[in-house]
């Protein structure tokens, strides 16, 4: 049975909100590591992944 369009939009919005939260947390973690002089490659790659996923979901939300 197909999902109602509004229900799909709400699920996308919830996923965007969760990803945006973790993107901000990852950004803060990356900045703190950089300011402490620690290697932050792993944190930066995780941040990049969160940013890309968030942008992808926003793009999907705009198309629906």
């Amino acid at each position: 049975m197909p999902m109602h369009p509004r229900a799909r939009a709400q699920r996308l919005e919830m996923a965007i909100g969760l990803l945006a939260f973790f993107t901000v947390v990852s950004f803060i973690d990356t900045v703190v590591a950089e300011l402490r002089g620690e290697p932050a490659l792993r944190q930066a790659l995780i941040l990049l992944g969160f940013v890309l996923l968030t942008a992808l979901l926003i793009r999907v939300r705009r198309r629906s």
Side-chain angles (χ1 to χ4, degrees):
M1 185 166 132
M3 190 183 313
H4 191 273
R6 185 63 197 147
R8 182 173 188 263
Q10 287 175 340
R11 288 184 183 185
L12 280 172
E13 290 166 3
M14 187 183 337
I16 290 169
L18 279 169
L19 275 174
F21 171 77
F22 285 110
T23 301
V24 170
V25 170
S26 180
F27 176 76
I28 293 169
D29 184 42
T30 304
V31 169
V32 167
E34 285 290 337
L35 291 176
R36 289 183 177 173
E38 301 170 356
L41 179 61
R42 183 176 1 125
Q43 287 94 335
L45 290 175
I46 291 170
L47 176 60
L48 176 64
F50 279 133
V51 168
L52 291 175
L53 284 173
T54 304
L56 177 67
L57 281 182
I58 289 172
R59 187 173 180 186
V60 168
R61 174 64 180 105
R62 286 185 180 172
R63 288 186 174 192
S64 59

